[in-house]
Amino acid sequence: MVNIKTILLVCAGMFATVSCSNKTVHVAGNTAKPKSTVSIATLPFKMPEVQLPKFKADTLNILDFGAIPNTEQLCTKAVNEAIKKCSESGGGVVVIPPGLWTTGPIQLKNNVNLHAKNGAYVLFTSDLSQYKLIDSYFEGNKVLRCESPIMGINLENIAITGEGIFDGNGSKWRPVKISKMTTEQWKTLVNSGGVLSKDGKTWYPSEGSRIGNEEKDKLPKNATPENMEPYKQALRPVMVSLVNCKKLLLDGVTFQNSPAWNVNPLMCENVTLSNLTVRNPWYSQNGDGLDLESCRIGTVTNCRFDVGDDAICLKSGKDQEGRDRGKPTELFTITNCVVYHGHGGFVIGSEMSGGVRNIFVKDLTFIGTDCGLRFKSVRGRGGVVENIWMEDIKMSNIPNDAINFNLYYFSKTASEDPLTGEMIVDKIPVSETTPAFKNMYFKNIYVDGAQQAIKIMGIPEMPVENIQFKNMVLRSDAGIQVNYVSNIEFDNVDLKLKKSGFAARLTNGQKINFKGFNSTGENQVFLVGGTTTKEVNLNMKNKKLNDKDLKILESIKDEVKVTE
C-alpha cells in the first residue's frame, strides 16, 4: 500500500480541514473552497449551514490494487476494491493517479473521497455487458435502467474531488438526430455503423436501441433484466447517480460525455458542488448537465457547463409518483456559474411534481444558451414552485427566450387571436395535478441579444402569480409577452427591440404593473387584450403614452390606467 499522506498535507489548493487521531489533516483538492457571493445570513429565507463531508487522512492508490494505466484492460475491480477497502477501514482518500484508466461502473462507499489527480482520465468502457440492468430512476420515475458509470446509494460522507476527467463514453449509447449535425458529420456518423430510424432522420447505435426508442410496443410487457437485455442500449443511464446520500461533495473534476443526464443527485441532503466542469456534445440527446432532484440544503458554486440539453436544472419527480414522493428540491444557493451551450441556462421543471422552493440564484452568465431562465411544466404534473430569487444574471446571444415560462410543455400550446391578443384555451378545474409557479423575483438581469426578452404562458385556472422583474436591461428581437398571469410587476425595465413590433403584449392578466418602463424600436408600446384582463397600470420613464402607442381591447379599456 502506498501512503501519500505527506503529499496530501503539503499539496497546494487543499480546502477542507478535518479531525483525525487528534491531528488536523486536509482533503486533497485542486483549489480552495470558493467563497460564495452570498452568506446564509443574508438570504431571503432561513437556511441551515451546508455540512461538508470529513475524511481520515488514510490514503489508498488504485495502482496497489492492480489497476494498469494506458491500456484497454479494465480496472473496475481495482477501483472498487480500493473504495471498499477504504470504507471498511474507516474511510479516507482513494487516489486515481495520472494516466488513462478504462473501467466499468464505479460503486462509491461511505466515508470515501475518490480523488482524481490532474492528468487522470477515467474512461468508462463501451462494453455494455459491464452495465447490469437494475431498478433505478430516470426523468422522475422508477424504471429499469442500466447501471450508471458512477453510483452511490444510501451513502453518507462521500466525495469526488481533484482535477481529473470522468468520461461516460456516451456516444456508444446515445441516438443522434440529423437536424443537429452538419451534412459531413451526419455522413461520418452513418458510415460508422449503427442503424437509422424508418424516416432516416435519427441514428441509433444498434437495432435494440432503435426498437427500445421507436417501437416500444415490441418490448416485453413485464420488463425484467433478462428479457430487456437485447434492448439495454435504449435504457441509457445517467452518468453520476447519487441516490439518498448525505454530506456529498463534488469538487474540481470534469464530468463529460454522459449516456443521458450527466450529474444527478436524487433525494440527497447537504450537497456541495463546486469548481466542476460539465460537458456534453451539443447534439447529445437528454444531455443535461446537472439535475438536482428532490434534494435539500446545498450549494452550487463556480461551475462551468457546456451541454446538449438543460444545464442547471431543478426537479422533484414526475406526475403521481413525484407527488407521492413529496420531496421538494429546496434550500439551495446557486452562484458564480457559466453556461455555454444548453437548452436552458437555469431551469426548473418539467418534472417538478414534488415542488421546488426557497432557491437563491446569483451571478450566472449564459453565453449562446438556447434559452436563459427557463420554467416549464404541464397540466398533470401538479407541484408548487415558489420562493425563487434570481439576481445579477448576464446573458448574450440567446437564440430563443431570455426568460421563459411555459405551462404547456409537451402539450398543445394555446392559440392566439391575431386581432385581440386573446389566448384561446379552455379553463379546467384546479386539482392536485395543477402545476403552480408563484413568488419569484428577478433583479439585475442583463440581456445582450435574444430572440425574445420575456415570454410567460400560464394556464387560466392557475396563472403564474406574484412575479417581480426589477432593474433589467433587455436587448432582443421581440419584447415582453405575458398570458394568464396575476400580480406581476416590471420595475425599471429598459427594453430595446431590434425588430419592430409591440414592446409588451399583455393578455388575460390581473394586476399587471409597469413602473418606470423604457422602450425603443417598437411600432407600438403596449397591446392589452384578453377578456379576463383587469387592473393594468402603465407608467413610462421617459415617454408620455398616447393613443398611437396603445392597442387595447375595447371591452377592457376601463381596466387599463396610464400614469405619468
Side-chain angles (χ1 to χ4, degrees):
M1 183 184 302
V2 177
N3 192 311
I4 61 170
K5 183 189 301 182
T6 304
I7 297 175
L8 295 176
L9 285 170
V10 300
C11 179
M14 303 169 180
F15 64 89
T17 60
V18 299
S19 174
C20 177
S21 301
N22 298 318
K23 294 186 294 182
T24 298
V25 298
H26 292 79
V27 176
N30 66 312
T31 60
K33 186 176 183 294
K35 292 183 179 179
S36 175
T37 54
V38 297
S39 68
I40 59 175
T42 62
L43 291 175
F45 50 85
K46 291 183 179 181
M47 176 172 169
E49 185 174 349
V50 182
Q51 299 179 38
L52 284 167
K54 298 178 181 180
F55 304 98
K56 292 171 60 178
D58 296 2
T59 301
L60 307 180
N61 193 312
I62 64 170
L63 285 169
D64 298 310
F65 290 80
I68 301 176
N70 307 318
T71 71
E72 294 181 357
Q73 181 174 327
L74 295 181
C75 60
T76 315
K77 182 178 179 181
V79 174
N80 286 319
E81 283 188 352
I83 292 172
K84 182 180 178 182
K85 176 71 173 179
C86 184
S87 178
E88 289 176 347
S89 62
V93 181
V94 171
V95 170
I96 303 177
L100 169 62
W101 310 91
T102 305
T103 182
I106 293 175
Q107 305 284 341
L108 301 179
K109 299 291 184 181
N110 289 324
N111 303 312
V112 174
N113 171 21
L114 182 63
H115 183 74
K117 302 290 286 186
N118 186 18
Y121 179 45
V122 181
L123 177 64
F124 290 95
T125 179
S126 60
D127 177 7
L128 301 194
S129 68
Q130 300 297 313
Y131 303 89
K132 298 177 183 177
L133 283 167
I134 62 172
D135 291 328
S136 185
Y137 297 86
F138 188 63
E139 293 188 334
N141 294 134
K142 293 180 180 179
V143 291
L144 188 69
R145 209 81 182 172
C146 288
E147 285 182 291
S148 290
I150 300 175
M151 293 184 64
I153 302 174
N154 300 327
L155 302 180
E156 187 166 352
N157 208 60
I158 59 172
I160 303 174
T161 66
E163 294 179 294
I165 298 171
F166 293 87
D167 189 312
N169 218 338
S171 60
K172 303 299 182 180
W173 296 85
R174 295 187 302 259
V176 179
K177 296 178 180 178
I178 190 173
S179 60
K180 294 191 175 184
M181 305 195 98
T182 66
T183 301
E184 193 60 34
Q185 288 173 330
W186 180 253
K187 181 179 178 181
T188 300
L189 179 64
V190 171
N191 289 339
S192 71
V195 297
L196 292 178
S197 59
K198 290 184 178 180
D199 62 8
K201 295 182 179 181
T202 303
W203 175 90
Y204 293 97
S206 66
E207 178 66 8
S209 174
R210 187 194 69 79
I211 293 174
N213 282 279
E214 290 200 342
E215 299 181 11
K216 294 183 179 180
D217 58 315
K218 293 184 178 181
L219 299 177
K221 292 183 178 180
N222 297 312
T224 66
E226 293 74 26
N227 62 30
M228 288 298 293
E229 183 69 22
Y231 315 102
K232 69 186 302 180
Q233 209 161 6
L235 304 177
R236 297 175 288 138
V238 302
M239 180 173 169
V240 183
S241 177
L242 303 166
V243 181
N244 198 31
C245 296
K246 296 181 179 180
K247 289 193 286 186
L248 158 68
L249 169 67
L250 305 179
D251 179 87
V253 298
T254 295
F255 296 113
Q256 66 178 35
N257 199 16
S258 58
W261 294 353
N262 207 314
V263 180
N264 180 208
L266 168 63
M267 296 184 288
C268 293
E269 187 171 316
N270 286 296
V271 177
T272 302
L273 310 180
S274 55
N275 306 308
L276 300 177
T277 298
V278 181
R279 303 172 61 241
N280 272 332
W282 74 271
Y283 54 81
S284 55
Q285 191 80 6
N286 307 112
D288 291 23
L290 167 65
D291 292 278
L292 286 166
E293 186 175 358
S294 294
C295 293
R296 66 185 310 268
I297 313 175
T299 63
V300 180
T301 307
N302 197 35
C303 297
R304 301 293 180 266
F305 299 87
D306 193 342
V307 296
D309 207 318
D310 292 330
I312 306 169
C313 196
L314 308 187
K315 300 176 180 289
S316 61
K318 184 177 180 180
D319 299 341
Q320 186 67 50
E321 189 171 322
R323 296 193 297 273
D324 290 344
R325 180 195 298 168
K327 291 180 181 256
T329 290
E330 60 182 341
L331 301 170
F332 270 84
T333 65
I334 300 171
T335 60
N336 294 306
C337 294
V338 177
V339 177
Y340 298 95
H341 191 274
H343 286 182
F346 173 80
V347 182
I348 297 180
S350 69
E351 302 90 9
M352 38 61 70
S353 301
V356 178
R357 64 193 182 197
N358 295 332
I359 307 294
F360 187 84
V361 181
K362 181 178 174 66
D363 289 321
L364 302 191
T365 301
F366 307 143
I367 304 172
T369 309
D370 290 349
C371 182
L373 300 170
R374 188 182 189 197
F375 310 95
K376 52 185 178 176
S377 189
V378 68
R379 287 165 166 166
R381 287 280 190 269
V384 178
V385 174
E386 61 183 341
N387 303 336
I388 314 295
W389 284 263
M390 283 152 284
E391 63 181 58
D392 299 327
I393 312 295
K394 290 79 64 179
M395 313 183 202
S396 67
N397 300 318
I398 306 299
N400 296 301
D401 304 332
I403 300 175
N404 176 277
F405 286 75
N406 183 6
L407 276 294
Y408 300 90
Y409 192 65
F410 282 139
S411 179
K412 183 179 179 181
T413 302
S415 58
E416 178 182 293
D417 187 308
L419 297 177
T420 66
E422 172 81 25
M423 296 302 297
I424 304 170
V425 56
D426 293 331
K427 184 176 181 178
I428 64 175
V430 172
S431 71
E432 67 170 11
T433 69
T434 306
F437 285 74
K438 61 183 180 179
N439 304 336
M440 302 175 68
Y441 309 93
F442 302 80
K443 180 181 178 182
N444 302 337
I445 312 294
Y446 307 98
V447 178
D448 183 18
Q451 190 279 324
Q452 183 157 8
I454 300 172
K455 186 173 185 179
I456 302 178
M457 298 184 66
I459 50 179
E461 66 271 16
M462 187 65 71
V464 176
E465 182 180 8
N466 194 27
I467 310 296
Q468 182 185 77
F469 298 101
K470 186 174 183 178
N471 301 339
M472 303 178 70
V473 177
L474 309 171
R475 304 293 180 255
S476 57
D477 294 344
I480 298 168
Q481 182 179 4
V482 301
N483 306 290
Y484 295 114
V485 297
S486 176
N487 194 23
I488 183 168
E489 180 176 276
F490 297 86
D491 183 359
N492 190 32
V493 174
D494 184 278
L495 171 68
K496 182 177 181 180
L497 298 185
K498 296 181 180 179
K499 296 183 179 179
S500 59
F502 288 98
R505 298 163 59 92
L506 319 173
T507 59
N508 294 302
Q510 296 81 46
K511 297 182 180 179
I512 302 175
N513 185 23
F514 279 76
K515 182 168 61 176
F517 182 56
N518 184 62
S519 66
T520 57
E522 73 280 349
N523 287 342
Q524 286 185 299
V525 182
F526 290 103
L527 180 151
V528 186
T531 56
T532 62
T533 297
K534 296 180 180 179
E535 297 183 52
V536 178
N537 294 283
L538 308 176
N539 169 264
M540 304 293 290
K541 178 181 288 187
N542 300 313
K543 182 176 183 178
K544 182 178 179 180
L545 292 171
N546 53 47
D547 290 344
K548 70 177 182 178
D549 296 317
L550 302 169
K551 183 176 180 180
I552 305 174
L553 184 67
E554 187 67 30
S555 63
I556 61 169
K557 280 193 172 183
D558 291 341
E559 296 292 339
V560 181
K561 307 297 182 185
V562 178
T563 60
E564 297 183 15

